[in-house]
Amino acid sequence: MHNEFELMNIQAEVLFAHDSLGRITKVNEFEGHPAPRLFWGKTKKGNVLRFRGDVPSDIANKMIEIINNSDDTNIVLAKIINELEQQTKISSIWMGPAYVFEDYKVGASQAVKVTNDNREYLEPGFKKLLTELKYREPCYMVIEDNKAVSVCFSARNTDRAAEAGIETLEEYRGKGYAIAVASAWLAAVHVSGKVALYSTSWDNYASQAVAKRLQLTLYGTDISIY
């Protein structure tokens, strides 16, 4: 088992592409969205920090000092924002819990793996996922009313870990389908030998409720500043 600090380092690798100097260059997805200027993974075992390539070294070093010398997140954030805005104004801040799937005793699931033979079930409700499928494997779905109504897929992937993306059509929520697809995805990821992760934002209460029902283990907080 990995401790919180190790898990956060693994997640940083899953979330972002890095250059040879360890600076983050883009989000680790095929679309390659720009990386945040600072990623701060906060855990009880320590802080994991990643800076985008255009953050000057003197500012990065000052932020490392600020973060490692205070436990008050609000005060630290205010100081970090002040440092970053000496270079460019902050455009957005994203914060949320980071979880790990620890219980691999997965039972039977009504979810089925998405394959070339059944992928058409994604068409009615998950058209975007259908076009991205080759980047999202493994992907599992629950079928009802002749269509996929809930899916779990690899939102981001590395050789060491995969992060789950879970979506359920609004009218089919509350039926346990998210648990079914996530359990099937977890089993496949576990067989591959990868660490299975999940993260969301603090204002996404539905995703946090899914994490609670899945009995995921909270290991830290993700903070991305753009």
Side-chain angles (χ1 to χ4, degrees):
M1 296 298 294
H2 300 281
N3 66 35
E4 293 99 327
F5 183 73
E6 291 168 339
L7 286 168
M8 190 58 78
N9 270 293
I10 291 171
Q11 192 197 22
E13 295 173 4
V14 170
L15 292 178
F16 308 109
H18 295 67
D19 65 18
S20 59
L21 298 176
R23 293 294 191 108
I24 53 178
T25 58
K26 63 181 181 179
V27 173
N28 181 30
E29 292 186 350
F30 72 97
E31 293 172 320
H33 294 300
R37 295 161 69 189
L38 166 65
F39 169 75
W40 172 16
K42 183 177 174 64
T43 80
K44 292 179 180 179
K45 297 291 185 180
N47 300 300
V48 173
L49 303 174
R50 297 287 189 275
F51 298 95
R52 202 169 65 196
D54 59 349
V55 176
S57 294
D58 59 333
I59 293 179
N61 290 334
K62 185 66 180 292
M63 287 190 287
I64 292 171
E65 182 182 347
I66 291 169
I67 290 170
N68 288 334
N69 283 284
S70 176
D71 292 325
D72 191 320
T73 302
N74 291 330
I75 291 175
V76 171
L77 274 175
K79 291 182 177 180
I80 287 174
I81 289 169
N82 181 62
E83 288 295 326
L84 282 174
E85 289 200 328
Q86 293 183 34
Q87 181 192 18
T88 308
K89 187 173 179 61
I90 301 295
S91 60
S92 65
I93 300 176
W94 190 97
M95 299 178 63
Y99 304 95
V100 62
F101 291 78
E102 286 194 327
D103 186 1
Y104 293 110
K105 296 178 182 178
V106 178
S109 171
Q110 66 193 107
V112 297
K113 186 175 183 178
V114 178
T115 67
N116 286 332
D117 294 330
N118 62 16
R119 56 185 290 160
E120 71 274 4
Y121 287 105
L122 295 174
E123 178 70 29
F126 300 99
K127 289 183 179 179
K128 187 173 187 294
L129 176 59
L130 181 59
T131 65
E132 301 171 352
L133 202 52
K134 65 179 179 179
Y135 306 104
R136 305 301 191 187
E137 294 181 347
C139 178
Y140 287 83
M141 63 183 169
V142 167
I143 300 170
E144 188 173 311
D145 300 327
N146 206 38
K147 64 183 177 183
V149 298
S150 184
V151 295
C152 183
F153 52 90
S154 296
R156 295 169 185 175
N157 228 325
T158 67
D159 292 339
R160 296 181 67 190
E163 183 162 285
I166 305 170
E167 298 179 18
T168 302
L169 299 181
E170 186 172 358
E171 62 270 30
Y172 293 91
R173 293 173 186 170
K175 297 184 176 183
Y177 294 156
I179 307 301
V181 292
S183 294
W185 176 86
L186 170 60
V189 171
H190 179 54
V191 168
S192 74
K194 296 183 180 182
V195 178
L197 303 173
Y198 182 67
S199 62
T200 186
S201 60
W202 284 122
D203 59 358
N204 191 334
Y205 304 114
S207 289
Q208 291 175 55
V210 169
K212 184 176 181 178
R213 291 198 299 274
L214 286 166
Q215 299 182 324
L216 304 188
T217 300
L218 177 69
Y219 68 86
T221 300
D222 295 340
I223 304 171
S224 292
I225 304 178
Y226 290 84

